[in-house]
Amino acid sequence: MDIIIAGAGRVGFRLAKSLSENNNVIIMDKNEQALEKLQESIDVLTIPGDVQDPKSYKSLENRSIDIFIAVTDNDEINLISSIIASEKIDVKRKIIRLKKEFFARSSIAAKIGITDAVFPYNLTAKSLVSLLDYPMANNVKSFAQTSNKLISVKIESDIQELSVFKIDNDKAKVVGIDSGKRFYIPNGDERLKKGDMIYLFGEDNAIEEISKSLNKTMPKKIKNVAIFGADILGIEIAKALIEQKAIIKIIEKDIQKCKTASEILQNRVTIINSKYGDFRLYDDEGLKNADMIIASTTNDEENIIKCIEAKEQGVQKVIAINNDIEHYNLMHSLGITVVRGPKINAFYSIMETIGSSSVINEKLFCGGSGICFIKELRDDKRVINPLNINGAIAYIVSNNQLDIFHKKQTIENPAIVAVFCLAQKREEVRKWINKL
């Protein structure tokens, strides 16, 4: 495919790096130094220029482009650039990143021909809301085609003879294992140990029952939540949690941000102005009684420190917003629940949007090490050959049953095919599932 990316910031850089492996990528930005740095490491065509200026598109006129992606840090620039691109180029699909809640509620994006709009702040907030229903989970993913979920749980219990087959049942399966910085797809009755993160796919009630035996340290219910940071993200998280009737406290060291948060949230939360550094805060403000503490600043190091402090004070469920993917493994190794920050969410959401279609849903998990494909089979009875790819495993979801897909079999619809694979097996699996 031919793809144009407007914006060479962190998100644009990662998109260009990933998409250039199998596509022709053009990236445009007025920051020539950023473009030079990008061109040194990946094979893309760069165009220095303002993405809002029609003149910047002159060299691309009369070309047909498969996808135009706008990921600058400014919503208005992303919207305007997509309009200009349509005027100058034949664009088949437009994907843009938007931060402001107004655009999420309005129909502006659709009216100007935006194919897909990604709202990373909302996505991060929704990820945290899902943990209210699944306190023992590290992450929860839902799918349009099935009520089954993909839920990650860290093994905290000392259980002897723990293995994949002892966990699996006909309603839920272990589909991924993150152990000691190594992620792999189970290919038999692998042994599991304390500290491993396992990814379970299946009915949520079945996963909940499995989780209870694997992690007994997490709270059974989350009601009281403390949020460190009153930036845009902290406020978005608070708004989402308010709708779930959570009792919220926001701790922020900047007095002006406290005032802004108070105006936006209209006294529906308790806002505390603090420099963060005093452990008396946990006693004086009752933070040690929180069911969940979220460190939501834009600084990963600060988020890690706040989570470690909270754990030292006895809070079991601590969550760090991950802004830089380089810190993902460190956060995991420290026993911190990791939730994607807005920039990382924007990258993954756009990659998932490009990889998905009306019948196939693609999701990335475990920091992008794993990929899940979900396809609904809509035709009549059919015979399907098994998936024979190392580093990938397929399941059939039919009649409320979850079965491994390891041999040639006849499938009666309606049914769902779910495939879990290593990231490097993506294209092989995509070819197989597209033929179904």
Side-chain angles (χ1 to χ4, degrees), residues 124 127-132 134-140 151-156 178 197 199 215 217-219 222 237 291-296 300 303-304 306-308 310-311 315-323 327-341:
T124 299
S127 296
L128 287 156
V129 168
S130 67
L131 295 179
L132 296 186
Y134 305 94
M136 288 168 284
N138 271 52
N139 194 272
V140 180
I151 298 177
S152 60
V153 179
K154 191 168 187 178
I155 300 173
E156 295 289 359
D178 185 6
M197 183 80 72
Y199 292 81
N215 193 327
T217 63
M218 291 295 135
I222 295 175
I237 292 169
D291 300 311
M292 181 165 74
I293 280 184
I294 305 165
S296 72
D300 280 356
N303 290 343
I304 290 170
K306 296 320 300 176
C307 286
I308 292 173
K311 287 177 77 70
V315 180
Q316 294 298 324
K317 190 74 173 180
V318 295
I319 297 175
I321 299 300
N322 180 211
N323 300 286
H327 295 126
Y328 177 85
N329 287 330
L330 174 60
M331 290 175 168
H332 257 311
S333 67
L334 293 171
I336 298 169
T337 299
V338 184
V339 170
R340 298 171 183 167

Side-chain angles (χ1 to χ4, degrees), residues 40-53:
E40 288 173 1
S41 56
I42 56 178
D43 182 20
V44 295
L45 173 64
T46 59
I47 298 178
D50 187 346
V51 298
Q52 297 181 94
D53 187 349

Side-chain angles (χ1 to χ4, degrees), residues 197-403:
M197 183 80 72
I198 63 171
Y199 292 81
L200 295 158
F201 176 73
E203 292 184 2
D204 50 4
N205 290 336
I207 293 175
E208 186 177 3
E209 286 303 310
I210 293 171
S211 301
K212 286 178 182 177
S213 65
L214 301 178
N215 193 327
K216 299 179 180 180
T217 63
M218 291 295 135
K220 295 181 179 179
K221 186 177 181 180
I222 295 175
K223 186 71 175 177
N224 296 291
V225 181
I227 302 170
F228 283 95
D231 289 315
I232 296 173
L233 180 59
I235 293 171
E236 282 298 314
I237 292 169
K239 286 193 290 188
L241 294 176
I242 286 169
E243 294 180 5
Q244 303 302 313
K245 311 299 182 185
I247 299 168
I248 305 159
K249 292 179 180 179
I250 294 180
I251 304 92
E252 172 57 56
K253 52 190 173 185
D254 186 317
I255 187 64
Q256 186 55 51
K257 289 181 181 179
C258 288
K259 291 177 180 178
T260 301
S262 180
E263 291 171 4
I264 293 173
L265 298 171
Q266 300 177 353
N267 299 318
R268 291 177 291 173
V269 305
T270 301
I271 298 175
I272 304 164
N273 179 229
S274 167
K275 295 299 182 184
Y276 296 359
D278 194 341
F279 278 103
R280 289 177 299 179
L281 191 66
Y282 284 85
D283 287 317
D284 296 347
E285 301 295 344
L287 298 190
K288 62 168 53 180
N289 298 319
D291 300 311
M292 181 165 74
I293 280 184
I294 305 165
S296 72
T297 77
T298 57
N299 185 302
D300 280 356
E301 289 86 353
E302 187 170 322
N303 290 343
I304 290 170
I305 291 169
K306 296 320 300 176
C307 286
I308 292 173
E309 289 177 354
K311 287 177 77 70
E312 288 177 350
Q313 292 297 309
V315 180
Q316 294 298 324
K317 190 74 173 180
V318 295
I319 297 175
I321 299 300
N322 180 211
N323 300 286
D324 186 340
I325 197 65
E326 298 298 324
H327 295 126
Y328 177 85
N329 287 330
L330 174 60
M331 290 175 168
H332 257 311
S333 67
L334 293 171
I336 298 169
T337 299
V338 184
V339 170
R340 298 171 183 167
K343 289 185 184 294
I344 296 176
N345 241 329
F347 166 75
Y348 281 124
S349 298
I350 291 171
M351 290 296 294
E352 289 169 357
T353 298
I354 292 171
S356 299
S357 66
S358 59
V359 292
I360 299 176
N361 194 195
E362 178 180 325
K363 297 275 188 181
L364 285 77
F365 63 99
C366 192
S369 298
I371 298 178
C372 169
F373 292 92
I374 302 283
K375 183 172 183 177
E376 183 178 4
L377 302 181
R378 299 175 178 175
D379 299 333
D380 294 329
K381 184 186 295 186
R382 66 172 81 180
V383 177
I384 301 179
N385 291 317
L387 174 72
N388 293 314
I389 299 173
N390 289 329
I393 191 166
Y395 292 92
I396 296 291
V397 184
S398 182
N399 298 320
N400 297 319
Q401 187 104 348
L402 180 60
D403 296 307

